[in-house]
Amino acid sequence: MEGGGVGEVVRVDGGTVFALPSAASLKGRVPVLPALREVVPGGGLWPGSAVGVAGPGAGSLGLALVAGVVRHGGTDESGGWCGVVGMPEFGVVAAAGMGAAPERLLLVDEPGERWPDVVAALVEAVDLVLVRPPEAPGPPVVRRLSALARKHGCVLVVPDVAWPGTRLRLRVEEAHWEGVGAGHGVLRARRARVSADGRGGAWLWLPGPDGRVAPVTPHRRRLEVVA
Amino acid sequence: MRVLVVWCPDWPATALGIDAAVPGSVLAAGKVAACTAAARAQGVRRGQRVRDAQRRCPDLVVADRDPDAEGRLFERVAEAVAELIPKVEVVRPGMCAVPARGPSRFYGGEESLRLHVQDAVVEAGFDCGAGVADGLFAAELAARRDGGVIVPPGGTAPFLAPYPLAVLERPELAGLLARLGVRTLGDFAALPAGHVAGRFGADGARAHRLARGEEPRPVAPGAAGGDLAVRAAFDPPAERSEQVVFTAKRLAGDLHAGLAAGGLTCVRLAVEVGFVDGRVLHRLWRHDGGLSAQAVAERVRWQLAAWRPPAEDAVWGGVAWLELTPDQVVPDTGRQESLWGRSGVTDRVARAADRIQALLGHRGVTRPFMVGGRDPGEQVVRVPVGDLPPHDLPDGPWPGRVPAPAPAVVPAAAPRADVVDARGRAVRVSARCEVSSPPARITVPGGDAERVAAWSGPWPVAERWWDPARARRRARFQVVTDRGRAYLLAVEDGDWRIEAVYD
């Protein structure tokens, strides 16, 4: 890829140029959507780690992480598989809008009390499992599933529930919906400041008007060669 | 070989519970796959498009085909026949065959056997015809003629002669022959066998053998040895049918590997399920084009579903062992073996899905597919892994569809919400889509009241207004609260519901 070891150069609208971590430096990481690369430390998720998403906006963050793996994951980056357990309300259309191919999702809507076995089966096969346990998981279950996930390099994303050993916590710190007024308009997009472990915080369109996740372009004038 | 065939008319319609006296039809891929006698009387035919069928018969009851239900319900017919003659071979749901020679001696002649079998099936509650003839093909036609007839030994060729070529179910061949002036099976049978094989190939030769009243295949190249049978024991006994089905899938894979090593394929399969108390459930399954592993597992599921009480999921007594035996084996002339509904499912994913299906049942793990629809929830169908994705779905436009971006959280059942104005009165929407007063606070179940910061609507949605029973009239709102959350609300008959959350 161009840019070699320095970084992959992405041109976004308005002509502003960002330097993102290069493909080489992402090797061995589970990929995220390009817009999230500057939020997530290292530009990707650690294989086998647990990721927490909490608070308002947790649903969209979960979708974005799933979409990143389905779109950019897999052995040859042609697309990975994701499992979604215990979330019948998972917005498939929104995930597709973020770039996920829906047919590479495995949905287990009603795992009931067998959810640890379902997650154990999935972590061996897919790159990321989004799971909402029906009850607070006990330490033995957490240990078993964390060990399995580490062994197979599968990322566990657990929304809203405390999961011991969580390596990375993503949060929407601030969010503003745009497009709706007092009795008119239509929801167009949301500006959201997303932080990782309380640090940083990049403004993203989550989602943008076309459903995608994109960095909010800062109003910065381009330097132009005038003479 | 003398064969008795039991044929249930319009089985796809019967399986869906459509009464023969009601004009009804069953659809596959938008065309009529089967219809009841009442519908046929009004001019509905197989292969018609729904629109044409409905023009001929405006009060036609229409249902989608359900092969699983056909298989399950037909078990009861097979069960009834097996009471008289244990060796029942299910050719396909709607038709089963038994060897007639031995039983006819026991029951005192072929006519007596035929009536016995027919009575047993009618007593089980199904209309049927039973016919006896040399070979399966002639016996099926005998069963379909006037409630069933007996074709005397050696009389097959004259019996078949007047039938049109369409009964061979080879439309291309029939069309070609019709243009050559050959219109009946008798005309076709009169052609020299060698020339037919030379001109129409192996399949043509097979059709020619059928038309002459001979078996479609000369003989199986050797009785399938017991060594090809595969068996699995359950220790402890399997309590859930999914466990057995899961094992059946694996066994079917082993069976196919064994057959492939010998260059063979199996067109008839015996499935035996042994229960803890020593009872054995034995059934033969025939398939026109070889049974894939998935299809074998499906048939085992049918067999078990028919056996256990429908309300309970536990296999009665527990299954101790399962055995698959290839009962009829022919040389493999090459075919595409497809285990999954769609390629692209990797082995690892397939295995994980198998494990989850063994835990939760076939519908436990699904893959979503995007289809057309207005509601955010309607735009996705969830297809159990291993089933074919839907096809021939209506394509938009969908007026009234919620505009992009799509909401992140779409509850399966929309929870209620309270929406009140600044003075605490419930917000109402009139029939002319006027809002009584701007919404000021909303309360979601399990949460406290949130102040409305911005809102938009109402957007009227009138669905299926032409069908009073299914018509819905709603008004949608998008609401943003002061906590930065956005909801998609709908009000219908004064009830507010949260259709989706833009979380």
Side-chain angles (χ1 to χ4, degrees):
Chain A
M1 192 155 288
E2 284 180 55
V6 184
E8 181 186 343
V9 176
V10 171
R11 194 172 288 270
V12 296
D13 45 2
T16 316
V17 172
F18 285 100
L20 297 176
S22 71
S25 72
L26 294 178
K27 207 159 186 220
R29 299 290 185 98
V30 174
V32 294
L33 288 175
L36 281 172
R37 280 189 202 155
E38 45 178 332
V39 180
V40 175
L45 308 172
W46 282 103
S49 66
V51 177
V53 288
S60 290
L61 284 176
L63 285 175
L65 292 176
V66 166
V69 170
V70 172
R71 192 172 166 81
H72 302 287
T75 45
D76 50 354
E77 291 175 24
S78 59
W81 284 79
C82 279
V84 180
V85 180
M87 298 180 69
E89 74 280 8
F90 182 81
V92 176
V93 182
M98 290 180 183
E103 62 272 12
R104 281 202 300 274
L105 297 174
L106 294 177
L107 308 183
V108 184
D109 290 345
E110 307 286 344
E113 58 189 16
R114 310 298 298 266
W115 71 269
D117 300 323
V118 170
V119 174
L122 282 174
V123 292
E124 290 183 14
V126 302
D127 305 313
L128 183 143
V129 176
L130 177 62
V131 53
R132 166 168 295 149
E135 77 269 319
V141 170
V142 171
R143 267 201 304 278
R144 174 182 163 218
L145 294 181
S146 301
L148 275 174
R150 262 198 305 282
K151 184 176 164 205
H152 296 285
C154 171
V155 176
L156 285 178
V157 180
V158 192
D160 297 331
V161 177
W163 186 272
T166 302
R167 192 169 177 134
L168 172 71
R169 285 183 186 81
L170 293 178
R171 256 186 102 80
V172 173
E173 299 289 344
E174 246 182 289
H176 306 287
W177 276 100
E178 297 192 352
V180 176
H184 57 82
V186 55
L187 286 180
R188 272 190 70 247
R190 171 170 63 179
R191 281 164 185 273
R193 191 161 64 84
V194 179
S195 70
D197 294 326
R199 280 198 304 276
W203 283 95
L204 302 177
W205 292 113
L206 183 74
D210 53 355
R212 296 186 171 279
V213 183
V216 175
T217 317
H219 297 288
R220 192 191 302 162
R221 286 184 68 96
R222 273 176 70 198
L223 291 178
E224 284 171 20
V225 180
V226 289
Chain B
M1 184 180 125
R2 300 294 283 168
V3 175
L4 180 141
V5 162
V6 178
W7 172 76
C8 295
D10 314 321
W11 187 254
T14 313
L16 290 172
I18 303 173
D19 195 76
V22 178
S25 67
V26 177
L27 305 184
K31 292 193 171 160
V32 174
C35 59
T36 61
R40 213 161 17 246
Q42 298 194 37
V44 178
R45 293 285 177 274
R46 262 172 68 180
Q48 264 173 356
R49 291 194 307 171
V50 198
R51 208 181 298 163
D52 297 333
Q54 280 173 331
R55 198 172 58 229
R56 288 188 171 79
C57 175
D59 52 345
L60 189 71
V61 177
V62 174
D64 278 328
R65 187 166 190 177
D66 184 356
D68 275 355
E70 288 168 27
R72 263 195 313 271
L73 192 67
F74 197 70
E75 273 297 283
R76 285 175 47 197
V77 174
E79 208 57 61
V81 177
E83 289 285 309
L84 300 174
I85 308 146
K87 208 176 169 175
V88 182
E89 175 192 329
V90 178
V91 180
R92 58 165 190 268
M95 181 172 143
C96 63
V98 288
R101 220 183 70 180
S104 73
R105 262 182 261 153
F106 181 80
Y107 286 101
E110 287 181 342
E111 179 62 19
S112 159
L113 168 73
R114 195 182 75 78
L115 292 176
H116 262 97
V117 170
Q118 208 169 8
D119 286 353
V121 175
V122 170
E123 229 165 80
F126 301 101
D127 187 19
C128 84
V132 185
D134 289 338
L136 192 63
F137 178 66
E140 181 184 350
L141 291 174
R144 295 172 85 136
R145 179 185 280 187
D146 313 328
V149 294
I150 289 177
V151 181
T156 309
F159 169 75
L160 290 176
Y163 276 95
L165 288 170
V167 296
L168 289 171
E169 303 208 331
R170 286 171 172 83
E172 244 176 64
L173 179 70
L176 190 54
L177 286 169
R179 272 177 278 148
L180 294 171
V182 176
R183 287 172 205 286
T184 64
L185 290 186
D187 296 345
F188 185 36
L191 302 177
H195 291 193
V196 170
R199 173 65 183 78
F200 298 106
D203 191 56
R206 207 169 302 144
H208 190 243
R209 292 183 66 86
L210 284 175
R212 283 187 318 191
E214 292 169 25
E215 289 292 311
R217 295 180 291 271
V219 262
D227 55 324
L228 284 176
V230 287
R231 186 184 168 104
F234 297 94
D235 188 20
E239 294 286 341
R240 293 169 61 88
S241 61
E242 293 302 334
Q243 253 171 298
V244 183
V245 172
F246 172 55
T247 308
K249 240 186 238 175
R250 182 176 58 77
L251 277 187
D254 294 351
L255 179 79
H256 281 296
L259 288 168
L264 301 167
T265 186
C266 149
V267 293
R268 196 166 74 164
L269 180 78
V271 177
E272 283 192 20
V273 183
F275 290 90
V276 170
D277 69 345
R279 283 221 229 182
V280 176
L281 199 59
H282 175 94
R283 180 78 68 237
L284 291 171
W285 294 97
R286 177 186 281 267
H287 196 267
D288 294 331
L291 287 158
S292 71
Q294 182 68 22
V296 170
E298 194 172 47
R299 276 154 184 77
V300 172
R301 185 181 299 121
W302 291 350
Q303 202 165 324
L304 289 170
W307 181 255
R308 65 164 193 243
E312 228 175 281
D313 201 39
V315 170
W316 173 81
V319 172
W321 52 268
L322 172 73
E323 187 170 299
L324 306 179
T325 313
D327 190 62
Q328 208 166 18
V329 175
V330 293
D332 191 358
T333 49
R335 77 173 30 257
Q336 190 68 39
E337 191 64 48
S338 155
L339 176 60
W340 292 89
R342 184 181 168 133
S343 60
V345 178
T346 63
D347 280 354
R348 273 189 323 161
V349 171
R351 215 162 37 236
D354 270 350
R355 273 177 65 188
I356 297 169
Q357 285 178 334
L359 285 170
L360 303 175
H362 183 59
R363 307 198 66 84
V365 53
T366 55
R367 294 164 77 194
F369 287 90
M370 307 273 281
V371 296
R374 287 187 188 80
D375 294 359
E378 261 179 17
Q379 291 169 30
V380 174
V381 290
R382 293 165 184 228
V383 179
V385 176
D387 283 8
L388 288 172
H391 53 93
D392 281 353
L393 288 158
D395 201 10
W398 300 98
R401 181 183 247 189
V402 181
V409 174
V410 185
R416 262 164 197 275
D418 283 327
V419 181
V420 295
D421 64 9
R423 295 167 61 185
R425 291 172 310 188
V427 177
R428 308 187 65 81
V429 177
S430 74
R432 302 189 126 186
C433 250
E434 286 163 340
V435 186
S436 61
S437 47
R441 281 199 309 278
I442 75 167
T443 314
V444 299
D448 41 356
E450 293 179 58
R451 214 169 53 75
V452 172
W455 61 283
S456 173
W459 304 327
V461 191
E463 284 177 335
R464 296 183 281 263
W465 42 266
W466 57 89
D467 181 354
R470 298 198 303 153
R472 291 187 76 183
R473 213 177 122 82
R474 279 174 290 174
R476 285 215 179 96
F477 288 78
Q478 280 181 337
V479 169
V480 180
T481 68
D482 58 345
R483 294 180 201 172
R485 291 187 197 204
Y487 297 95
L488 179 68
L489 301 174
V491 58
E492 185 175 10
D493 296 332
D495 274 350
W496 288 86
R497 290 187 181 273
I498 299 175
E499 289 203 328
V501 185
Y502 293 87
D503 188 31

